[in-house]
Amino acid sequence: AMAAVRDAEIAPEGTFKYIVVRLQRPGGGEQRDIVRGTAAAQFHNHIFEKVKPEMEKLGYECKCLGGGKIDHNSKDKKIRVFGLSTGYGKADHSVTAEILKKVYTDYEITWSDDKK
């Protein structure tokens, strides 16, 4: 069932906020991290508030590991991960980049700890 959850779901274009969410089966056991980002979210917690009930329905406990911003250029097939979340702290962008590479296999994906 955990395999049914997509590694990454991000907006198709533009610069937007994202978070890394750790999914875990109650009582420990299997866990994995997923990336979610959307241009619709004004704040990082708006993303988590949407993801959490979806994942709880599937039987997972969720924890937000941090956030940042993604700049997604679908025309040039480039994704840049940067920035931080005031509420959740900075996600490990190197981990985010690795997760995104699983989904966007033909993209150039870079990350930095720059704020902009």
Side-chain angles (χ1 to χ4, degrees):
M2 199 174 262
V5 178
R6 296 212 314 233
D7 288 303
E9 287 180 13
I10 62 170
E13 190 65 46
T15 303
F16 48 87
K17 292 179 168 62
Y18 89 90
I19 58 172
V20 176
V21 178
R22 174 156 293 162
L23 304 181
Q24 186 158 358
R25 287 284 181 211
E30 194 185 10
Q31 68 175 35
R32 70 183 256 238
D33 299 341
I34 60 170
V35 173
R36 294 293 182 266
T38 174
Q42 191 181 353
F43 300 105
H44 289 89
N45 64 309
H46 294 167
I47 307 170
F48 190 60
E49 285 162 12
K50 185 177 175 293
V51 172
K52 191 172 192 264
E54 289 172 8
M55 296 304 142
E56 286 175 345
K57 268 187 211 143
L58 298 172
Y60 299 109
E61 292 172 347
C62 299
K63 182 178 165 192
C64 182
L65 301 183
K69 286 189 175 164
I70 289 175
D71 184 15
H72 186 177
N73 181 332
S74 55
K75 187 169 81 65
D76 295 341
K77 295 195 176 228
K78 287 186 176 174
I79 291 176
R80 185 169 75 94
V81 184
F82 65 101
L84 53 84
S85 160
T86 316
Y88 295 121
K90 185 180 75 65
D92 184 336
H93 297 326
S94 63
V95 170
T96 303
E98 289 307 311
I99 294 170
L100 290 169
K101 282 174 190 172
K102 290 184 203 173
V103 179
Y104 296 91
T105 52
D106 56 345
Y107 269 62
E108 179 191 325
I109 298 174
T110 58
W111 66 272
S112 76
D113 289 332
D114 298 344
K115 298 244 187 342
K116 292 185 187 296

